[in-house]
Amino acid sequence: MKNKVSDNWYEHFFQGINCELWENAIPIEVTRQEVDFLLSELNLQKGQHILDIPCGYGRHAIEFSTRGYNVTGIDISETFINGLSSKILSEKLNIKAIRANILHTEINGNFSAAVCLGNSFGYFNLERMKIFVGKVASALKPGSRFIINSGMIAESILPNFLKYSIDKTYNVGKIKMEVTNTYDVDDSCMTSHLLFTKEGKNEEHSLKHYVFTLGEVKRLLTLFGLRTISTYSSISKVEYKLGDQQVYIVAEKYQ
């Protein structure tokens, strides 16, 4: 289970019990509060188009749509996109769901905002992150905002790594998830090995997060015409500081 994790781990990670756990892990009220925050920062008018990348099972995309916004959600997971597509049809949502590898697909559109949430920023090494950020930036209108949420920024992970390095167990409904984290100092990345158990059935999944400093992320955004205007530690808009568990980075595309 604890073998080295490949750089393309995300191509096969999001399936099975793993997806089921994440679809049930976060209460709807938490999503609504987060979307309240996102909309307060994105400066949008109803009907404008938001890019949710990667969108996962669509918890933010669905909430944006129910509030009157158009959404394009892109994700590599067949499980997530199939589930989201079914909800789009049954609930008549203004969402375009696309299953694709973000690194290899063209993002067609002229978006008024983009979001990358839930620790997804950092799935790739620096060169691949440049491809990702470049694609998002090129799809945004001048003056549009891009919000990134991550708990994997170096200033969050490294001061608290003793807590992350202790094996932990989480329970969501009938699913148990056991987590083992290690940190690779040579590649500046954290690997996580997960064991899921549900009704006697086990699944193992492994993932890798590249860990960038906040300064590195801001410089990366600047390379593609995105100016960081705010960094918060929570949706209550408290300024981010060393040791905070997560960051919300609000960037704006140059006019």
Side-chain angles (χ1 to χ4, degrees):
M1 182 176 175
K2 298 181 183 180
N3 296 329
K4 189 174 180 64
V5 179
S6 67
D7 263 1
N8 66 337
W9 61 269
Y10 48 84
E11 293 180 3
H12 308 289
F13 179 81
F14 297 100
Q15 57 184 313
I17 299 173
N18 179 24
C19 288
E20 184 180 348
L21 178 138
W22 290 114
E23 287 193 54
N24 292 282
I26 302 174
I28 184 62
E29 187 54 38
V30 173
T31 299
R32 288 171 179 158
Q33 291 170 359
E34 191 170 23
V35 170
D36 286 344
F37 159 77
L38 295 169
L39 290 174
S40 75
E41 291 290 323
L42 290 174
N43 294 335
L44 295 173
Q45 300 296 319
K46 293 288 181 66
Q48 288 187 305
H49 210 146
I50 302 170
L51 175 64
D52 187 354
I53 183 166
C55 64
Y57 60 91
R59 70 182 183 94
H60 296 99
I62 291 169
E63 185 65 21
F64 282 132
S65 178
T66 60
R67 299 194 191 194
Y69 300 91
N70 293 294
V71 186
T72 292
I74 302 176
D75 202 279
I76 199 169
S77 170
E78 182 177 11
T79 301
F80 281 155
I81 291 298
N82 285 349
L84 177 56
S85 296
S86 294
K87 291 176 183 176
I88 292 169
L89 289 174
S90 65
E91 300 177 27
K92 297 180 172 56
L93 300 169
N94 292 319
I95 302 172
K96 182 179 181 180
I98 300 170
R99 186 193 174 207
N101 184 326
I102 294 163
L103 299 176
H104 305 310
T105 191
E106 293 300 318
I107 304 176
N108 298 314
N110 197 16
F111 294 93
S112 299
V115 294
C116 176
L117 307 168
N119 289 341
S120 302
F121 195 92
Y123 281 176
F124 315 128
N125 62 23
L126 179 59
E127 291 309 308
R128 290 180 174 182
M129 287 303 300
K130 288 178 180 179
I131 295 171
F132 170 64
V133 173
K135 285 177 178 287
V136 173
S138 66
L140 287 173
K141 298 176 182 178
S144 298
R145 291 186 175 182
F146 178 30
I147 297 182
I148 299 162
N149 168 236
S150 179
M152 302 303 297
I153 298 297
E155 288 85 352
S156 292
I157 285 291
L158 298 182
N160 299 303
F161 193 73
L162 286 179
K163 292 191 297 184
Y164 288 97
S165 64
I166 299 171
D167 291 358
K168 294 185 178 180
T169 299
Y170 302 89
N171 292 282
V172 176
K174 296 180 180 180
I175 303 172
K176 180 173 74 171
M177 179 177 70
E178 299 173 66
V179 183
T180 300
N181 295 316
T182 58
Y183 191 81
D184 185 337
V185 296
D186 292 326
D187 284 338
S188 296
C189 64
M190 189 171 89
T191 58
S192 301
H193 302 281
L194 314 179
L195 174 63
F196 296 91
T197 304
K198 180 187 178 185
E199 298 175 339
K201 179 183 177 182
N202 292 336
E203 277 186 13
E204 295 183 9
H205 296 271
S206 296
L207 68 150
K208 176 191 292 187
H209 276 98
Y210 282 90
V211 177
F212 302 100
T213 66
L214 179 58
E216 287 172 331
V217 174
K218 292 167 72 173
R219 288 188 287 273
L220 174 59
L221 295 172
T222 300
L223 281 177
F224 297 96
L226 295 163
R227 175 178 60 93
T228 299
I229 56 176
S230 299
T231 55
Y232 302 120
S233 64
S234 70
I235 61 175
S236 61
K237 301 191 180 185
V238 175
E239 185 178 355
Y240 178 76
K241 64 182 184 302
L242 180 66
D244 285 336
Q245 291 189 340
Q246 64 175 337
V247 65
Y248 287 87
I249 302 169
V250 183
E252 188 172 83
K253 187 171 180 179
Y254 299 154
Q255 296 282 356

